[in-house]
Amino acid sequence: MQMMMEATMTAAAVDGISLDQDRLAEVVRRATGRGDAQIATVDARPAAHRVENMTTAALTHVWGTLTDGTPWRVFAKTLRPAWHAPAWDQIPPVFHEEVRRALDWQDEPRIYTGPLSGDLPGDLRLPTLYAIDEIDERITLWLEEVDDTTPWDVPRYRRTSAHLGRLAGRWSEQRAVEQLGVRRRSMAQLFHGKISHADIPALGDDALWETPALRAVTAEHGDLRGDLRRLAEVAPVLVEMYEELPHALGHGDATPDNLHEPGSGDIVAIDLSYVCAAPLGSDLSQLLAGRFESGVATGRDLDAIQAVLLPAYCDGLADEGVSVDPQHVEAGWAIALAVRSVFSALILDHRADLDQAARHELLTRRALTCRFGLDLALGVADRIA
């Protein structure tokens, strides 16, 4: 959608956000660094990223030109309370208060306006925040639009993992709680909630495993069903162990999509909805799984990627003066991956948007990460047995 910014126009709604003429002009002046900037045109479109976070109402690219032809662009992230999300009605009422606490829609604004951006390690930084608007239980963060132009090769995985390790090493749990107001997000609640009540029963259904699509993609990965059953048996012990592991600040959703390299030497961490105090190594779960989920990475990439993640993360911790048993870091990685990704990997009931070919492709990728995650988590379980 494109429109001219006319003197008579005071506000307009574009893709779920309010575009007040004066407010947008102020945002653009901050983004361009030009106090005299005057907007000529405005375009907006929703981000292509699939939104599954209940507290995210809209992700919108907004751009245009100034009156002298200079281009500008910003990114608008609009937040809402979790109870305004369409999925809220699918959550049993007994879990409502738990979800309210776990998904605080004001967490991300607190992170952007707190001291974190001023004390990040190495080349890691946050997007520039230009403004925050709050209207009718909606918060819009006006942010720097950050490109991601650097290929995700093995060296990039290595340096990203090292920076995540440095982030945890610099921001201990105590410091993060005191200065950022973050808290832990309970893996036990996730396991004993959705995983135990939905995913594990679904995995016990013979009909699921007899579908041609699942049979076709799982045959080459060993006894996935048997190993998932075994993981379900040991998972209560693993999630208890998870809470006892050393904690520090974590991104919380460190998928490759949320860690951009615009080519300037920076690593820009975006989507801070899940920043929390988490076990060391837990960020590696989403860093590994993200590009396999999206289909960018393939089975040929897995061995090389997973081989660099743990050593690089431990190197990052050491760079910040933190010495820790690598097995503790591996346990944080393994348990987070198991609970967040492995149990749900082969269940696609929520993806009615996929045709048969797309479902097959997604199942193929998910079976790969399911197998890797099973081996990693069961290895930890065997070690502590």
Side-chain angles (χ1 to χ4, degrees), residues 58-313:
L59 300 172
T60 312
H61 301 281
V62 185
W63 73 98
T65 58
L66 302 180
T67 52
D68 64 0
T70 301
W72 60 268
R73 57 187 186 138
V74 295
F75 187 77
K77 181 170 187 176
T78 303
L79 307 169
R80 66 188 170 203
W83 55 92
H84 286 188
W88 181 256
D89 291 338
Q90 301 172 26
I91 300 173
V94 68
F95 295 120
H96 280 180
E97 187 57 35
E98 177 184 311
V99 174
R100 283 174 183 265
R101 289 195 303 268
L103 299 178
D104 187 339
W105 67 302
Q106 295 183 332
D107 279 348
E108 194 163 9
R110 277 195 290 267
I111 292 297
Y112 273 112
T113 57
L116 180 62
S117 62
D119 194 6
L120 288 169
D123 300 319
L124 188 65
R125 70 175 180 89
L126 306 184
T128 302
L129 174 68
Y130 301 125
I132 299 179
D133 292 334
E134 183 170 359
I135 303 173
D136 298 330
E137 290 197 303
R138 291 290 188 274
I139 296 175
T140 297
L141 304 174
W142 294 96
L143 298 161
E144 171 191 5
E145 179 81 85
V146 182
D147 292 323
D148 188 28
T149 62
T150 307
W152 272 98
D153 53 15
V154 171
R156 182 172 178 187
Y157 273 100
R158 183 185 294 110
R159 63 179 172 267
T160 303
S161 182
H163 276 78
L164 291 171
R166 289 193 64 183
L167 174 67
R170 180 165 298 194
W171 283 86
S172 68
E173 179 176 21
Q174 180 178 352
R175 185 185 181 204
V177 170
E178 292 176 353
Q179 297 186 23
L180 303 177
V182 302
R183 62 195 180 282
R184 295 188 178 193
R185 298 185 187 275
S186 174
M187 195 64 71
Q189 288 181 353
L190 175 59
F191 174 75
H192 292 296
K194 173 183 178 293
I195 304 301
S196 293
H197 289 85
D199 294 344
I200 291 176
L203 291 170
D205 185 354
D206 291 341
L208 173 72
W209 296 93
E210 291 170 0
T211 59
L214 194 54
R215 290 173 62 184
V217 302
T218 58
E220 62 183 278
H221 293 293
D223 185 11
L224 286 179
R225 186 176 189 182
D227 286 339
L228 282 163
R229 187 182 301 115
R230 183 183 166 209
L231 181 61
E233 292 170 354
V234 300
V237 175
L238 291 178
V239 295
E240 286 184 13
M241 175 187 180
Y242 190 82
E243 297 301 326
E244 299 301 320
L245 291 169
H247 281 54
L249 186 68
H251 181 284
D253 191 19
T255 70
D257 284 343
N258 290 337
L259 294 155
H260 288 191
E261 286 196 11
S264 57
D266 295 339
I267 298 174
V268 186
I270 66 171
D271 192 357
L272 308 179
S273 300
Y274 291 107
V275 169
C276 61
L280 300 180
S282 57
D283 272 341
L284 299 181
S285 66
Q286 301 308 107
L287 183 60
L288 175 80
R291 294 179 77 249
F292 291 93
E293 174 78 9
S294 67
V296 180
T298 69
R300 295 187 299 273
D301 306 313
L302 182 58
D303 287 344
I305 292 170
Q306 65 88 16
V308 304
L309 295 185
L310 181 62
Y313 189 95

